[in-house]
């Protein structure tokens, strides 16, 4: 009873709270990082250096009036934010924050596929939000979203096949352990795959330069134009939770998860004094920073260019990568 | 016991959602029910210890194909009433025939499986040189079922080429 | 699509209203777009939301009061508006403007060009999604505004010129600050270029987008950077020099392809040329009075005149008729560059995607205050 129900439940409770809190602070971090990139200060008013902004923002969103447009499809309008947040949170179930059983909710033998399939459900939130709003800009946005997410999902999934070939397992814990056995982070074995997954991750989380479904300056906020208050903040939470989960998975797959740098070099064994989860968190943090940095730097792609990159560039490269990996695997 | 409860609950859900798919007047709603239906089927696979199949079910059907359904349904103007001359029941006879054939087929399968030797039903599964759900599936696909697997891939290729040709003609 | 066979489904064109409340129509422009998917098949430009009747209003104000109204047309480039109007009336009055005043006017006009281009660059990049450039460009625009504030006390609507000269001489030390600003600006331009010029995404978004041939550009009556982007050599500063432009050495950048990227490069080069002009003007700044001999009561002889200057947006012309009796114009008409360039928007937009629409509104650089007047 204790092992099968209570402990997993406790883990889930802790994890969910940790995610939601880190999302609020991530919003603050994003505002600060972008502000520094733009020679501004960012939020400075609430608390010292604006750190309490992370608490004030959610309160503001909760207190705001929740408006449902008269002509919206009420059921789907309410369902969409939930559909977008839940998969983002469920995906954390298979993310191991350490090698010990204490640090993950579940280690299933198809962990990586589970992650992919759960995140692929998240697109419904965006599509249905756009459609249920019964408004023109959101509809355009949700058409963009569905096309974009499907094409990039294919690219990412195909890229991950080559990683699975290298690791020989689909379990997230197994992949990290394989990196320990091989003595190298897979980011160095599969640099092409790493770049592809990063690009695909940007596209799947609707981040700049692929933020077409939101496209503030074109579609006035895109799929969430008609949303306000708590429902809007659910989309917000979903977006940031997705970014965190993508960063975490990238760190686990390509940067050794909780392993220290050069896991096979004995001379660096003193690095093990730092616990594994701190290593993983700092890696996640780096990726989060990268996402924000990119947002502050790059313009936005156009819809047709985005599709062209996905289908004509990323997918062929991913296929070629699989073939090369297979050949190397057979020869070595 | 627990498995039985899970199975029957899921079955009721799946059937109920299936009925909802075909009875809901709004097409987008029925697509949403379809997604939920697929998710329940995936859970059923998990109960049957076929995790890989469950995940693929979600990834391919719920996450991929139904998104395309939704894409099409959203684009098409469905508020319009069916035209007068299009009798909604005009295909009823074909439908009846097809579902009758389906029923007969199902019955045949049931009869066949019960009439066979009980030992063949619980035949020992072939010895796998590998462990794990995915590995066993892969092993089977590339040994016993290699030819059907390859045929299926060729079939998909043909379908893909066909789709591209159709799309290009329209453009 | 429907050329060979009838489509299976009814295809409806989606009509969307872009604006008047939209983050990237640069004011209250309204575009009624007919979309086929994401492609624009038709576009209807609706304007007039900030029409204040400035032209009619001017016919009931005396000559000096009108300067203040011209501020409100292109409100991001008030100094050039002042300049154009004052020179037109001076032409009508046949007043000689002292050389020092003409030099300072040139400096103000070129500072204004830099300020206005900063705003254009920032918003244009923002529309395409590069938000950092906006903050960088506004940082430099702030310096321009500070200089204007020190010169005339205002930051947006300057009212900085008078008929016959200038209301104020430059404050002491102002010329040094302008020089410093020129150095700073020259140092910041590579920052913009680093973010945009060779950025692959920027290139893909702007190159080959909104191409307009020289012939079409002339036919549509475009002016300013959109015209020069298509390779037409036309700049009022060179063709019909005013203020003190005939005394300075500068170049007019021209485009070759006539696309959005060319227009972007042209405006960036205009930053540099403006800096060059300002430096020359500061070097050769003559001593002397800043007001010409202007009668107390302004009552031009009966007649009409048209005078144009090169505002940051293009050819800004004033047509004024005086009946010789009243102390106000009989007829006052402005040829606003934004309005004329806006006529080119529809041919540019049709056939492009929705995402390009905002990019093209940005590239023609309109200010709705000037379009509607």
């Amino acid at each position: 009873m204790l092992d099968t129900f209570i402990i997993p439940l406790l883990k889930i409770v802790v994890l969910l709270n940790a995610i939601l809190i880190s999302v609020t602070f991530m919003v603050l971090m994003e505002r600060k990082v972008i502000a520094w990139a733009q020679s501004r200060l960012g939020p400075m008013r609430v608390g010292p250096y604006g750190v309490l902004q992370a608490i004030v923002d959610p309160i503001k969103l909760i207190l705001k009036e929740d408006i449902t447009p008269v002509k919206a499809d009420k059921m789907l309008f309410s369902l969409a934010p939930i559909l977008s947040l839940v998969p983002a949170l469920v995906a954390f179930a298979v993310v191991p924050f350490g090698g010990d059983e204490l640090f993950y909710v579940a280690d299933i033998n198809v962990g990586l596929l589970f992650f992919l399939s759960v995140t692929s459900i998240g697109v419904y939130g965006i599509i249905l939000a756009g459609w249920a709003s019964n408004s023109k800009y959101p509809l355009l946005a949700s058409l963009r979203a569905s096309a974009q997410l499907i094409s990039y999902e294919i690219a990412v999934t195909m890229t991950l096949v080559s990683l699975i070939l290298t690791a020989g397992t689909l379990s997230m814990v197994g992949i990290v352990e394989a990196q320990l056995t091989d003595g190298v982070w897979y980011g160095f074995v599969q640099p092409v795959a790493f770049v592809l997954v990063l690009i695909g991750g940007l596209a799947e989380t609707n981040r700049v330069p692929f933020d077409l479904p939101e496209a503030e300056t074109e579609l006035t906020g895109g799929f969430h134009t008609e949303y306000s208050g708590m429902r809007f903040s659910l989309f917000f939470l979903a977006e940031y939770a997705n970014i965190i989960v993508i960063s975490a998975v990238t760190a686990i797959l390509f940067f050794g998860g909780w392993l220290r740098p050069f896991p096979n070099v004995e001379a660096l064994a003193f690095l093990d004094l730092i616990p594994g989860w701190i290593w993983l968190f700092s890696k996640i943090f780096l990726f989060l920073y990268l996402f924000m940095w990119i947002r502050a730097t790059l313009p936005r792609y156009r819809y047709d260019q985005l599709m062209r990159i996905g289908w004509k560039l990323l997918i062929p490269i991913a296929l070629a990568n699989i073939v090369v990996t297979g050949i190397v695997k057979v020869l070595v | 016991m627990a498995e039985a409860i899970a199975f029957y609950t899921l079955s009721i859900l799946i059937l109920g959602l299936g009925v909802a798919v075909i009875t809901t007047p709004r097409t987008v709603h029925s697509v949403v029910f379809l997604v939920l239906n697929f998710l329940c089927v995936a859970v059923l696979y998990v109960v049957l210890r076929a995790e890989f199949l469950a995940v693929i079910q979600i990834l391919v059907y719920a996450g991929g194909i139904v998104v395309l359904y939704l894409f099409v349904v959203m684009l098409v103007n469905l508020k319009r009433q069916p035209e007068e001359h299009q009798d909604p029941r005009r295909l009823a006879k074909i439908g009846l025939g097809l579902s009758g054939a389906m029923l007969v087929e199902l019955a045949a399968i049931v009869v066949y499986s019960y009439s066979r030797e009980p030992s063949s039903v619980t035949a020992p599964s072939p010895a796998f040189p590998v462990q794990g759900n995915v590995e066993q599936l892969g092993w089977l696909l590339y040994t016993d079922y290699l030819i059907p697997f390859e045929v299926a891939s060729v079939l998909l290729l043909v379908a893909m080429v066909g789709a591209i040709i159709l799309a290009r003609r329209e453009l | 699509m429907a050329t060979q066979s009838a489509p299976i489904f009814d295809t409806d064109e989606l009509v969307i209203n872009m604006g008047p409340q939209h983050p990237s129509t640069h004011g209250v422009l309204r575009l009624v777009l007919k979309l086929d998917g994401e492609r624009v098949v038709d576009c209807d430009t609706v304007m007039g939301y900030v029409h204040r009747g400035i032209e009619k209003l001017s016919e009931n104000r005396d000559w000096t009061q009108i300067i203040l109204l011209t501020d409100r047309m292109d409100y991001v480039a008030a100094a050039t508006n002042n300049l154009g109007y004052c020179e037109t009336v001076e032409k009508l009055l046949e007043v000689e403007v002292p050389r020092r005043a003409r030099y300072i006017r040139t400096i103000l006009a070129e500072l204004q060009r830099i300020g206005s281009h900063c705003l254009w660059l920032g918003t244009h990049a923002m529309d395409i999604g590069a938000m950092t450039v906006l903050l960088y460009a506004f940082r430099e625009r702030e310096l321009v505004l500070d200089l204007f504030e020190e010169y005339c006390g205002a930051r947006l609507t300057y009212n900085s010129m008078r008929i016959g000269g200038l209301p104020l001489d430059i404050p002491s030390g102002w010329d040094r600050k302008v020089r410093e600003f020129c150095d700073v600006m020259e140092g910041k331009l590579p920052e913009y270029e680093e973010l945009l010029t060779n950025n692959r995404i920027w290139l893909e978004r702007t190159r080959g987008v909104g191409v307009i041939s020289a012939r079409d550009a002339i036919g549509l009556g475009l002016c300013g950077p959109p015209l020069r982007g298509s390779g037409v050599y036309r700049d009022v500063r060179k063709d019909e020099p005013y203020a003190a432009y005939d005394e300075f050495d500068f170049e007019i950048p021209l485009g070759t392809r006539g696309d959005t990227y060319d227009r972007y490069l042209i405006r960036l080069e205009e930053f540099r040329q403006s800096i060059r002009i300002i430096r020359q003007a500061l070097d050769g700044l003559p001593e002397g009075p800043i007001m010409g001999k202007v009668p107390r009561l302004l009552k031009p002889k009966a007649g009409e005149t048209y005078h144009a200057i090169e505002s940051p947006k293009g050819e800004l012309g004033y047509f004024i008729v005086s009946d010789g009796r009243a102390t106000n114009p009989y007829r006052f008409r402005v040829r606003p560059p934004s309005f004329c360039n806006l006529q080119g928007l529809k041919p540019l937009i049709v056939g492009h995607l929705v995402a390009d629409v905002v990019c093209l509104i940005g590239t023609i650089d309109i200010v709705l205050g000037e379009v509607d007047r």
Side-chain angles (χ1 to χ4, degrees):
Chain A
M1 189 68 188
L2 189 75
D3 275 355
T4 46
F5 286 107
I6 311 275
I7 290 181
L9 266 181
L10 273 177
K11 278 191 215 166
I12 291 170
V13 168
V14 170
L15 186 64
L16 284 185
N17 280 301
I19 296 164
L20 294 181
I21 291 170
S22 53
V23 164
T24 59
F25 278 94
M26 205 184 134
V27 175
L28 175 71
M29 174 184 163
E30 169 146 45
R31 288 176 70 177
K32 279 286 186 188
V33 168
I34 291 179
W36 292 329
Q38 297 170 342
S39 64
R40 294 186 286 128
L41 289 172
M44 289 295 280
R45 299 280 167 162
V46 193
Y49 294 94
V51 284
L52 295 183
Q53 192 74 37
I55 297 159
V56 181
D57 271 349
I59 293 175
K60 179 198 80 174
L61 282 170
I62 291 167
L63 294 181
K64 284 231 166 169
E65 189 187 355
D66 191 11
I67 301 165
T68 310
V70 178
K71 293 209 169 171
D73 185 318
K74 304 264 176 332
M75 180 186 113
L76 293 182
F77 193 78
S78 313
L79 184 68
I82 303 169
L83 260 186
S84 128
L85 178 62
V86 170
L89 296 178
V90 169
F92 278 97
V94 291
V95 175
F97 292 96
D100 194 75
E101 206 186 323
L102 186 70
F103 290 108
Y104 48 82
V105 176
D107 175 34
I108 52 176
N109 59 1
V110 285
L112 191 52
L113 284 179
F114 178 83
F115 162 74
L116 286 172
S117 60
V118 167
T119 45
S120 72
I121 296 291
V123 60
Y124 283 106
I126 294 177
I127 299 179
L128 291 176
W131 186 83
S133 301
N134 206 352
S135 172
K136 283 171 184 174
Y137 284 111
L139 183 68
L140 274 180
S142 68
L143 291 181
R144 282 181 175 189
S146 41
Q148 168 180 345
L149 294 175
I150 289 201
S151 19
Y152 279 78
E153 201 175 279
I154 294 173
V156 169
T157 312
M158 279 192 173
T159 315
L160 288 179
V161 169
S162 54
L163 186 92
I164 295 164
L165 276 178
T166 319
T169 173
L170 280 170
S171 140
M172 302 285 254
V173 179
I175 288 172
V176 179
E177 276 162 1
Q179 297 183 56
L180 183 64
T181 330
D182 291 354
V184 62
W185 291 358
Y186 284 153
F188 298 104
V189 183
Q190 291 278 6
V192 180
F194 167 61
V195 173
L196 291 188
V197 168
L198 202 64
I199 295 174
L202 279 173
E204 280 207 61
T205 47
N206 296 331
R207 295 287 295 184
V208 175
F210 305 109
D211 62 337
L212 297 168
E214 274 181 59
E216 215 172 311
T217 49
E218 295 158 24
L219 300 182
T220 64
F223 62 91
H224 57 57
T225 304
E226 304 288 347
Y227 280 85
S228 61
M230 200 54 211
R231 285 182 216 184
F232 167 75
S233 61
L234 286 186
F235 280 120
F236 221 73
L237 281 174
E239 181 182 334
Y240 283 89
N242 265 323
I243 297 168
I244 296 178
V245 79
I246 288 269
S247 307
V249 168
T250 319
I252 287 166
L253 299 184
F254 295 99
F255 283 80
W258 58 85
L259 302 178
R260 64 181 162 84
F262 305 104
N264 55 340
V265 179
E266 285 299 320
L268 291 172
F270 65 90
L271 287 175
D272 281 332
L273 287 176
I274 302 169
W277 56 273
I278 290 191
W279 280 119
L280 182 61
F281 280 178
S282 40
K283 285 168 195 170
I284 294 175
F285 196 76
L286 274 181
F287 280 112
L288 295 183
Y289 180 76
L290 185 71
F291 273 57
M292 290 162 193
W293 186 12
I294 289 173
R295 181 170 172 202
T297 312
L298 293 180
R300 181 185 308 120
Y301 267 115
R302 207 172 56 204
Y303 177 66
D304 58 328
Q305 294 164 345
L306 177 95
M307 298 305 277
R308 203 175 61 224
I309 294 169
W311 289 97
K312 293 194 177 168
L313 200 72
L314 296 190
I315 293 179
I317 294 177
L319 279 173
N321 199 32
I322 296 174
V323 172
V324 171
T325 312
I327 291 172
V328 172
K329 188 91 177 168
V330 168
L331 291 182
V332 175
Chain B
M1 182 61 197
E3 267 185 32
I5 294 174
F7 175 77
Y8 285 113
T9 330
L10 279 170
S11 306
I12 291 168
L13 261 176
I14 291 168
L15 291 176
L17 285 168
V19 172
V21 170
I22 51 172
T23 50
T24 317
R26 308 190 74 160
T27 325
V28 174
H29 287 197
S30 71
V31 174
V32 174
F33 285 129
L34 192 62
V35 177
L36 294 176
N37 193 344
F38 284 154
L39 291 181
C40 289
V41 172
V43 178
L44 194 63
Y45 285 142
V46 174
V47 173
L48 294 172
R49 302 257 185 285
E51 294 94 352
F52 183 75
L53 212 55
V55 167
I56 291 298
Q57 164 86 9
I58 300 178
L59 190 63
V60 175
Y61 285 97
I65 290 172
V66 183
V67 174
L68 292 179
Y69 283 7
L70 205 53
F71 194 81
V72 173
V73 166
M74 284 195 317
L75 280 179
V76 180
N77 181 13
L78 290 159
K79 297 223 174 82
R80 203 172 40 149
Q81 292 299 311
E83 319 280 320
E84 294 290 321
H85 62 272
Q86 279 188 346
D87 180 16
R89 290 170 197 280
R90 70 193 187 284
L91 295 176
K93 279 176 191 160
I94 303 172
L96 207 64
L98 278 178
S99 46
M102 189 80 185
L103 210 64
V104 169
E105 213 169 317
L106 274 174
I109 290 170
V110 171
V111 169
Y112 176 70
S113 61
Y114 274 99
S115 64
R116 286 215 304 183
E117 299 281 307
S119 62
S120 64
V121 179
T122 55
S125 48
F128 287 111
V130 286
Q131 288 300 310
N133 195 301
V134 190
E135 287 86 346
Q136 287 175 357
L137 200 72
W139 180 263
L140 274 182
L141 273 184
Y142 280 98
T143 51
D144 293 3
Y145 297 98
L146 183 62
I147 291 167
F149 181 68
E150 292 295 335
V151 169
S153 67
V154 171
L155 198 67
L156 285 175
L157 184 70
V158 171
M160 197 163 80
V161 172
I164 291 170
I165 289 171
L166 279 178
R168 280 199 76 83
R169 189 178 295 159
E170 280 222 332
L171 275 172
Chain C
M1 191 173 158
T3 46
Q4 284 156 358
S5 60
I8 308 163
F9 303 107
D10 293 351
T11 50
D12 280 342
E13 281 160 354
L14 182 68
V15 179
I16 66 170
N17 250 320
M18 201 170 200
Q21 288 170 331
H22 187 279
S24 41
T25 51
H26 294 211
V28 283
L29 175 68
R30 176 170 159 225
L31 297 175
V32 183
L33 300 174
K34 271 202 193 116
L35 301 181
D36 173 20
E38 289 239 346
R39 203 161 285 281
V40 181
V41 289
D42 196 12
C43 157
D44 201 358
T45 318
V46 185
M47 60 199 185
Y49 289 92
V50 279
H51 177 66
R52 290 147 298 172
I54 286 182
E55 287 172 356
K56 191 68 195 166
L57 205 59
S58 302
E59 290 165 17
N60 294 305
R61 294 287 180 279
D62 70 36
W63 297 95
T64 330
Q65 287 174 322
I66 296 172
I67 303 172
L68 179 134
L69 289 176
T70 60
D71 278 339
R72 272 82 183 163
M73 291 195 308
D74 183 355
Y75 41 75
V76 298
T80 44
N81 290 1
N82 296 160
L83 176 64
Y85 170 70
C86 291
E87 290 206 330
T88 316
V89 180
E90 282 150 14
K91 213 166 158 183
L92 209 58
L93 282 168
E94 290 161 1
V95 171
E96 183 73 18
V97 181
R99 193 146 170 264
R100 183 175 173 83
R102 284 193 284 127
Y103 265 64
I104 297 173
R105 281 179 172 190
T106 312
I107 295 172
L108 291 176
E110 290 307 311
L111 277 177
Q112 187 67 83
R113 191 181 311 279
I114 292 176
S116 169
H117 278 7
C118 275
L119 187 115
W120 159 80
L121 178 67
T123 50
H124 185 40
M126 182 80 182
D127 290 346
I128 300 185
M131 60 169 171
T132 299
V133 183
L134 176 83
L135 275 299
Y136 284 3
F138 267 59
R139 182 183 61 193
E140 272 71 70
R141 180 168 178 265
E142 194 65 21
L143 300 176
V144 177
L145 296 189
D146 286 345
L147 288 174
F148 270 103
E149 190 181 8
E150 200 177 337
Y151 171 69
C152 65
R155 289 169 64 82
L156 196 68
T157 48
Y158 306 126
N159 196 10
S160 62
M161 289 170 202
R162 294 289 179 274
I163 294 158
L166 295 162
L168 304 154
D169 204 342
I170 56 172
S172 66
W174 193 75
D175 53 339
R176 187 176 43 79
K177 283 181 186 159
V178 174
R179 262 181 224 281
E180 276 167 17
F181 166 73
C182 288
D183 296 339
V184 170
M185 193 66 212
E186 217 162 37
K188 298 294 184 190
L189 284 174
E191 269 185 30
Y192 308 152
E193 295 228 47
E194 200 177 327
L195 276 169
L196 299 176
T197 306
N198 289 321
N199 186 327
R200 274 194 72 85
I201 303 178
W202 181 261
L203 281 169
E204 291 209 23
R205 283 302 302 276
T206 55
R207 202 169 254 176
V209 172
V211 179
I212 192 151
S213 67
R215 200 184 164 79
D216 290 346
I218 296 170
L220 285 162
L222 300 188
C223 53
L227 181 65
R228 293 195 284 272
S230 302
V232 181
Y233 188 91
R234 164 72 182 163
D235 190 312
V236 187
R237 289 178 293 175
K238 282 279 187 197
D239 296 345
E240 299 144 40
Y242 56 94
Y245 283 106
D246 47 350
E247 299 178 32
F248 304 131
D249 193 22
F250 61 99
E251 274 150 32
I252 305 298
L254 289 182
T256 47
R257 288 177 299 265
D259 57 6
T260 304
Y261 188 64
D262 272 6
R263 292 187 278 269
Y264 156 77
L265 288 182
I266 281 177
R267 289 197 178 97
L268 271 193
E269 184 56 30
E270 284 188 358
F271 274 122
R272 297 210 169 80
Q273 297 301 330
S274 291
I275 293 171
R276 202 170 145 196
I277 295 170
I278 294 174
R279 285 206 174 121
Q280 289 175 44
L282 287 171
D283 287 340
L285 190 63
E287 294 296 324
I290 52 158
M291 264 316 255
K293 288 201 172 55
V294 183
R296 272 283 162 90
L297 187 65
L298 295 178
K299 213 182 230 180
K301 279 184 296 208
E304 58 179 54
T305 187
Y306 175 81
H307 177 73
I309 64 157
E310 187 73 19
S311 94
K313 314 277 186 298
E315 181 181 333
L316 170 66
Y318 287 87
F319 175 72
I320 298 178
V321 181
S322 166
D323 60 1
R325 282 171 288 146
T327 55
N328 50 352
Y330 177 75
R331 178 82 177 90
F332 183 88
R333 157 88 185 135
V334 186
R335 181 212 187 270
S338 293
F339 179 80
C340 296
N341 284 344
L342 188 61
Q343 309 315 310
L345 187 62
K346 182 178 171 182
L348 282 177
I349 284 179
V350 170
H352 280 96
L353 300 173
V354 177
D356 290 326
V357 173
V358 292
C359 165
L360 292 169
I361 295 173
T363 193
I364 59 167
D365 190 18
I366 48 167
V367 165
L368 269 297
E370 190 182 53
V371 173
D372 297 340
R373 299 187 299 288

